[in-house]
Amino acid sequence: MNLLFLAGMAAVFYYRHSVYIFEGFDGQYALLRIQQYFQWHDSALKMSWYPLQGMGFMSEFEGISTLPALVFMSNLPLRAQMIAYFVICTLLLFLATYSLQCAFGITTRQSLCGAWVCVLCVFPLQFQPVPLGPTYAYLPFFSYLFALSIFVLTFFRLAGRGPGVGNWLTSLAFVGFTAVTIHASFSNFAFSAPLVLLGGLFILLASEDKREARWKIVLLLLTAIILAGTGLLTWMVGEVMQSARFSLTAEIMDIPPTLTRVSLLFHNARGPWIIIPLSIAGAFFMLRDTRRAIRFAGQFLLTYFVIMAVVAYCYLKPYDFRAQLRPLYYEFGILPFYALAAAYAVSRLWTAAARRWRRLDVPFPSRRALLLAGLIYLAISAIGTFFFRKDKFPPPGLDHTAITEHLVRETALPPGGAFRGRTAWLTAPEQPTITQALQDPDAAFLASRLSAGQLLAERDAGMLFTKLGIPTLEIYTSSLSLPFYLLFSRCASTAPWGYNHTYFSRLNTSLLAAAGVRFVMSASQFSAPGASLAAHEAAHENTPATYLYELASPNLGGYSPVEYALAPTINEALDLLTDKDFNFARRVVLHRPLPNGTALTPGKFVSLTVEPSGIRIQAHSQGTSLLLLPFEFRNSMRWIPDNTGLSQAQPLRANLAMTGLLFSGAVSGLLECAPSPASAGFSSLQTLLDMRDMDLKGLRRRDLSGADAYVR
């Protein structure tokens, strides 16, 4: 009954507060991820490969991407799909928190109250602003992920405690929910992993007897074996270590530590200042509870609070945290526990007051009375929502202009479509600084970051182009690969890069063309060999003019160099690639010698189409040829010929980050770019090893003397 009432209530209030769901940049990013998943995900057992950003980059292993996202496969209007998504997330978190409380021996009525307090505190239901911040409204992936994490803790608590069949079922549920939690969104799992690991430790310590403890230990070992066997852990380690953010932290621009990135307490809102102190009080109250499991729950919460305080101190004071997650992100996972602990504190305070002053000892209303009151309240809200509110739901996405229409017509890339080039933004030559970012979080990203004649308030205009199916060289990812960063930050930029943003501030038309860039957008006119003006939008109001240039002879898969230079180190490769006379169509930089001193002959390129699983290529050669593909190289790439009678082809690293395809005779097949998690993990680790073999330690660092001290 509670779930049905919550579903109706959530549907009404999300309709009423629809301007708050999927709001802003983060909300649009969440919608984009869902869209890309259904368009470009090949298999639930493989990685996601997104060719619309960068030179095609590997995203996290998302599997089913999130169960609520399945509503986006329906024929409902977009607004209804978005509301249904949030209703499902709300129901799952309610059920998860209710189940966890019951597993710890809390009464049904108290568990229901705690679950209600939780969803009311973290979702944009009736209260605005949301008491514990709008995080779950911007990124509902978090609420789904943390609901799954709470289910993991619930079934771990129940494992080893029941009779035979029930015990096996709860154990199976624990293993299943652990796998699904990681399967759903592995990169976001880093936010909840500390919570799950610490909570699991205290649940293990709270075991009632040795039998329960042994059962839980065996279950943990079995789960670890399963996760290691699927390659998920390998992928996480590899993806982090091969990122530019991890390997070249000193070069990465980021906002200096601020209190707003430590906790919600510093976000100028009243809700956290009420709920968080109550939750701390609730944790102390739990220490005095007569139930052993509740006392361990209090110890767990207090320990987590202490750990968060230590992390916050390290973030604010002595250490460079640019390669790490901000403390605030770890707080996102504890939000439901804030609400539950606060509800427990209020319950204990009410009980204590009732015992002291008997006049407050008012009997709790019956279930029928509560249900009737709730239905009346829901009916009044529904009437007000549907008949008196005049708010219009803002259409998501980007309105078409002359430039976007031109780019869609010329370069839009649907799954299975031919690659027709990508677009790059030429940012302002002046370097964005941390000081700008502090004064205005978007200032550094608004510097000539134009999209269709509009100076966007979002941090990455390329994300909006991706919605229209326009491939862009820009990437929005926290795990920007080291080779991509080295190539373009040295050869096509003078500005420091953000940990998840790209800045192409140097017009290197030959490199951009080799990377498949067909169009370049700029806030000002420029003159460059082979660049011609394709479209123009005049300035209006506060929006400057936008110029769209088309580059001559971009690499759409047909570059077939006949000369190669061997560069065993990164510095040697960059020396060659930054030479203004380097001809990417004729020459290529390789990092390992070709077998037996192979001589290259021009290959005949036939076709290149892009599929969710990879790149389908047809070509032929009279000898041995190398195609320079405008896609980023990964060691996990695998050539799969269309039939056994055709020649084999070998993918290899070229020009630091690009893919070279070495072949002889006629080839037709698929260059697989969406591998299994295990293969992708080892590939990422191999990328780091490749860079280290190429003397990453001796890399010449960028001259960032014009940037802020925190960047230097």
Side-chain angles (χ1 to χ4, degrees):
M1 185 61 70
N2 278 269
L3 287 175
L4 290 176
F5 180 74
L6 177 60
M9 173 182 172
V12 169
F13 287 129
Y14 289 144
Y15 181 90
R16 180 180 183 183
H17 295 150
S18 54
V19 293
Y20 298 107
I21 62 176
F22 290 109
E23 182 185 2
F25 171 83
D26 286 336
Q28 293 299 304
Y29 176 59
L31 284 173
L32 176 64
R33 285 179 60 185
I34 295 173
Q35 170 190 318
Q36 286 190 316
Y37 172 76
F38 288 120
Q39 289 182 347
W40 290 101
H41 200 73
D42 179 50
S43 167
L45 300 177
K46 292 184 178 181
M47 304 293 296
S48 298
W49 181 65
Y50 294 145
L52 297 181
Q53 294 187 43
M55 291 195 298
F57 79 100
M58 203 76 65
S59 184
E60 60 266 22
F61 179 65
E62 292 182 305
I64 57 174
S65 178
T66 63
L67 177 63
L70 294 177
V71 299
F72 285 88
M73 297 182 66
S74 66
N75 293 322
L76 295 173
L78 178 60
R79 183 180 185 181
Q81 293 174 357
M82 296 165 66
I83 292 172
Y85 186 103
F86 267 83
V87 170
I88 295 173
C89 288
T90 304
L91 293 176
L92 285 172
L93 188 60
F94 180 92
L95 186 59
T97 51
Y98 169 77
S99 302
L100 181 66
Q101 294 173 92
C102 290
F104 275 83
I106 298 176
T107 65
T108 300
R109 186 171 297 184
Q110 289 177 324
S111 298
L112 287 173
C113 289
W116 274 104
V117 169
C118 178
V119 296
L120 289 173
C121 284
V122 300
F123 284 111
L125 288 164
Q126 179 59 17
F127 306 107
Q128 292 299 329
V130 180
L132 278 176
T135 302
Y136 290 5
Y138 295 162
L139 286 174
F141 290 148
F142 285 167
S143 65
Y144 176 74
L145 172 66
F146 299 140
L148 292 178
S149 300
I150 292 172
F151 275 123
V152 170
L153 293 176
T154 299
F155 287 112
F156 189 57
R157 165 66 181 168
L158 295 175
R161 298 175 58 84
V165 176
N167 200 26
W168 282 103
L169 289 176
T170 55
S171 300
L172 181 62
F174 167 75
V175 175
F177 270 97
T178 302
V180 170
T181 301
I182 299 176
H183 193 244
S185 185
F186 198 93
S187 64
N188 291 336
F189 182 67
F191 302 151
S192 63
L195 179 71
V196 173
L197 294 175
L198 186 63
L201 174 62
F202 274 90
I203 289 174
L204 178 62
L205 294 175
S207 300
E208 299 292 341
D209 51 41
K210 292 183 178 180
R211 173 185 175 274
E212 180 184 345
R214 285 195 298 268
W215 188 280
K216 284 179 164 59
I217 291 173
V218 172
L219 193 58
L220 287 175
L221 293 175
L222 176 62
T223 305
I225 292 172
I226 292 174
L227 294 180
T230 57
L232 293 174
L233 297 180
T234 307
W235 177 81
M236 182 183 72
V237 174
E239 195 68 4
V240 170
M241 294 189 67
Q242 67 88 41
S243 66
R245 182 182 187 180
F246 181 85
S247 298
L248 295 175
T249 305
E251 291 189 8
I252 302 300
M253 181 181 73
D254 197 3
I255 296 176
T258 60
L259 289 175
T260 57
R261 296 171 185 270
V262 169
S263 173
L264 294 170
L265 287 170
F266 307 105
H267 281 215
N268 196 27
R270 296 178 181 177
W273 279 101
I274 298 173
I275 296 173
I276 294 179
L278 273 176
S279 68
I280 297 174
F284 278 105
F285 281 134
M286 290 178 187
L287 298 180
R288 302 177 58 122
D289 199 291
T290 57
R291 292 161 291 187
R292 183 169 179 266
I294 301 300
R295 293 198 300 272
F296 271 99
Q299 294 173 19
F300 153 69
L301 288 174
L302 290 175
T303 303
Y304 195 86
F305 294 154
V306 170
I307 292 175
M308 286 182 59
V310 172
V311 172
Y313 171 78
C314 295
Y315 170 75
L316 290 171
K317 294 294 182 184
Y319 302 111
D320 186 345
F321 251 62
R322 280 175 290 174
Q324 310 299 323
L325 292 174
R326 298 174 178 91
L328 180 64
Y329 292 170
Y330 295 113
E331 191 177 41
F332 293 160
I334 202 74
L335 295 185
F337 292 88
Y338 278 160
L340 295 179
Y344 182 86
V346 171
S347 173
R348 289 294 299 268
L349 291 171
W350 179 268
T351 302
R355 289 174 179 172
R356 187 173 182 86
W357 299 288
R358 293 191 176 277
R359 69 184 64 181
L360 295 178
D361 193 9
V362 180
F364 199 80
S366 66
R367 291 186 179 182
R368 290 185 179 181
L370 287 174
L371 178 61
L372 180 61
L375 290 175
I376 293 174
Y377 179 66
L378 181 62
I380 294 174
S381 299
I383 292 173
T385 294
F386 290 100
F387 294 99
F388 297 105
R389 287 184 64 86
K390 302 299 182 182
D391 294 352
K392 293 184 179 180
F393 188 75
L398 181 67
D399 292 335
H400 269 300
T401 66
I403 285 183
T404 58
E405 289 178 353
H406 183 83
L407 291 174
V408 168
R409 182 170 59 252
E410 295 293 327
T411 66
L413 179 62
F419 178 72
R420 298 184 294 164
R422 51 176 60 98
T423 302
W425 281 265
L426 182 64
T427 61
E430 58 270 12
Q431 297 178 348
T433 66
I434 297 301
T435 303
Q436 286 179 303
L438 276 176
Q439 294 171 350
D440 179 354
D442 292 322
F445 309 108
L446 292 181
S448 299
R449 185 57 67 94
L450 299 173
S451 176
Q454 303 177 45
L455 196 57
L456 296 175
E458 281 75 13
R459 288 168 286 180
D460 188 6
M463 182 193 74
L464 299 179
F465 269 38
T466 305
K467 290 183 179 181
L468 302 176
I470 302 171
T472 65
L473 191 59
E474 278 73 15
I475 303 178
Y476 181 76
T477 175
S478 296
S479 56
L480 184 68
S481 75
L482 188 55
F484 185 96
Y485 172 79
L486 288 172
L487 177 62
F488 290 100
S489 68
R490 265 65 177 178
C491 302
S493 180
T494 57
W497 285 27
Y499 72 92
N500 56 2
H501 293 279
T502 55
Y503 295 96
F504 302 105
S505 55
R506 178 189 297 168
L507 185 61
N508 187 337
T509 54
S510 58
L511 172 61
L512 294 179
V517 173
R518 181 178 168 190
F519 292 98
V520 176
M521 293 183 65
S522 174
S524 58
Q525 293 179 292
F526 63 80
S527 177
S532 59
L533 186 65
H536 166 239
E537 290 182 5
H540 57 88
E541 297 180 358
N542 296 324
T543 303
T546 307
Y547 300 90
L548 182 70
Y549 288 86
E550 183 171 5
L551 302 183
S553 305
N555 180 17
L556 305 182
Y559 277 23
S560 181
V562 294
E563 300 176 9
Y564 72 90
L566 192 61
T569 69
I570 297 174
N571 287 332
E572 290 176 288
L574 290 173
D575 287 340
L576 291 167
L577 295 170
T578 53
D579 185 348
K580 63 180 181 180
D581 295 324
F582 189 87
N583 187 340
F584 286 86
R586 182 173 179 80
R587 299 185 68 198
V588 65
V589 174
L590 301 180
H591 313 291
R592 290 186 175 88
L594 295 178
N596 301 323
T598 304
L600 297 177
T601 59
K604 179 63 175 178
F605 167 74
V606 178
S607 66
L608 185 154
T609 57
V610 183
E611 301 179 358
S613 55
I615 309 163
R616 188 164 296 280
I617 301 168
Q618 288 184 326
H620 56 81
S621 171
Q622 298 297 323
T624 299
S625 299
L626 185 143
L627 288 182
L628 182 65
L629 304 179
F631 296 94
E632 185 172 356
F633 174 76
R634 287 273 183 168
N635 287 284
S636 57
M637 284 179 165
R638 185 167 62 102
W639 177 256
I640 306 174
D642 288 337
N643 59 67
T644 56
L646 293 171
S647 300
Q648 287 291 331
Q650 177 189 351
L652 48 83
R653 184 180 300 279
N655 298 341
L656 275 182
M658 298 181 186
T659 300
L661 190 68
L662 188 68
F663 69 97
S664 300
V667 292
S668 177
L670 177 72
L671 183 60
E672 186 181 51
C673 300
S676 67
S679 179
F682 287 116
S683 170
S684 297
L685 290 173
Q686 185 60 51
T687 296
L688 179 62
L689 293 177
D690 288 347
M691 296 297 104
R692 289 184 175 178
D693 288 343
M694 296 169 64
D695 194 21
L696 177 63
K697 187 176 181 180
L699 173 70
R700 291 191 296 268
R701 297 306 175 99
R702 301 184 65 194
D703 179 14
L704 299 176
S705 56
D708 289 338
Y710 191 68
V711 178
R712 300 197 301 272

